[in-house]
Structures are given as C-alpha cells and as structure tokens.
Amino acid sequence: MSDDILYNKRKQTNKQALCLSEYEIKGFALAELEKLLNEVGKSLKDYPIMPFPNEIFLQSSCNRLIKEKASYDHAEMKIQHEELFSNLNPGQLEVYNPIISPVNGCIRNMLFVYGSDGCGKTYLWKTLCCRLRSEGKIVLPVASSGIAGVLLPGGRTAHSRFHIPIKLDQSSVAHIKHGSDIAELIKQTSLVIWDEAPMQHRHGFESVDRAFRDIMSAVDPKKNSLWRYYYCLWW
C-alpha cells in the first residue's frame, strides 16, 4: 500500500514533482489502512501493536465513499432523468411526486411502497436516483438480496452497505462507528432506497435504526431517529 501513496497523491494533486518524506508516506498509508478497517467496523486502535496515524493524515485522506456517491456527472444525470421521467406511467408518478417534494424540502420521513413483479419498480428507482444525483444529492440504494442490489444504479446489499451483523437478535446494532467514512456518508445522504425489504428480518432493520440513531445524535440529539432523518423507500 505504501508503494502507491506517492503515486496517488501526485495524481490527486496533479503535481508530478510532489515529494513525500518517509514519515508522511507512513502516515498516509496508516490513514488509508484505518479507513479500510472503519468500513468493516474495525480500527487500528483495536490492534495495540499497530501505530495510529496523526490526525492531520486522517483529515487529509479523502472520504472515498462520499467522493464516490457525489462524483456523478450532473449534466449526464439530468439528461438521463429527463428521458426516464418522460416514460413514467401514472402509477409511477403517484409514487415519484410524494417522494421528491419532501426530499427537496428537507422533510424527513419513511414511505413503504408495495408493487407486484413487473410494475416498474426498478425503473422508478433509477429515475429517482438520476433526479437527485443531477442536483448533487447523495442517494444510497440497497437491497436485501445481491441480485436486486446489482439492478439498482450504484446499489449494494443492505448487509454490505450498513454492516448488518450476520447473527441477529433483538439487541443487535449495525457495525457503523462514529467518524468512519460510512458514518459521514450517512449524515450527508438525502435518500435511502431499500429494495425487497420484506426479505429482511425485522432485527436487521432495528440494528440499522439503532446505528443511525447513534450517528445522528451527534447532529441533533433531539431528533436522532433513522425514520425521522431519512426518507426510506421499501418495496
């Protein structure tokens, strides 16, 4: 990993003559390793024999998750949205409009939508994602199964995205730590789409809710519920 640090920093800064000391390379490498561990709910602090990077290296390291979700071409997303939106049927519009208005108005809520196979669920999700991404907003589409997650634009399984424990019980909590990349990503998310929600055990939702409550308590201790902060779509 340390062998790539100088190359990546030169690429990020667009300065091919950039030079880093051995101390700086070590610090940036440890910061990258810390962020990789954070994504799976771990930290270098969990391993006493490992050195921990200085805060300056952690702050200098870009949040790759936010960068990934915010790096869409707005103009391209707008064109795709216009094309997709023009083909929405009346049933899809009845779902589309009540979602976009609260999200743009920063009114947080939860909406459960049910539809049979072939009624255009995935098409609607794509339209919503393109609309919000064209405005620079972050959308997290997840699904309860891997196949459904692949069909969503930029989608992943809920277990992978939110670090839901494999073994669930009534007190389980998703492994998302304060200060991690995924925690900061959640704070900046405008919309969460959860496809095939009925396939997930209720303890899975509860574990995510507890994690979101904990994360959002740092933003507003009086309003720290997942459902009050995020407009979640379950289908």
Side-chain angles (χ1 to χ4, degrees), residues 91-187:
Q92 291 169 325
L93 285 172
E94 288 183 5
V95 178
Y96 177 93
N97 292 322
I99 293 170
I100 290 298
S101 297
V103 171
N104 286 339
C106 296
I107 301 174
R108 308 300 183 177
N109 204 347
M110 178 190 70
L111 177 66
F112 182 92
V113 184
Y114 176 79
S116 58
D117 293 341
C119 67
K121 299 187 295 294
T122 302
Y123 188 92
L124 177 60
W125 299 149
K126 290 180 179 179
T127 306
L128 288 166
C129 287
C130 288
R131 166 64 185 272
L132 295 176
R133 287 168 177 168
S134 71
E135 299 172 353
K137 294 182 172 67
I138 293 178
V139 184
L140 293 184
V142 299
S144 297
S145 70
I147 296 177
V150 171
L151 297 177
L152 296 172
R156 291 176 59 175
T157 64
H159 273 81
S160 173
R161 174 60 70 193
F162 299 133
H163 304 163
I164 300 174
I166 299 299
K167 294 183 179 180
L168 291 167
D169 56 43
Q170 60 185 7
S171 60
S172 297
V173 181
H175 302 306
I176 304 175
K177 292 188 176 182
H178 282 279
S180 64
D181 282 2
I182 181 62
E184 296 305 313
L185 175 66
I186 288 169
K187 290 178 183 178

Side-chain angles (χ1 to χ4, degrees), residues 211-226:
F212 273 48
R213 286 173 183 268
D214 182 45
I215 292 168
M216 299 310 298
S217 65
V219 178
D220 189 343
K222 297 180 180 179
K223 298 180 180 180
N224 60 358
S225 170
L226 163 64

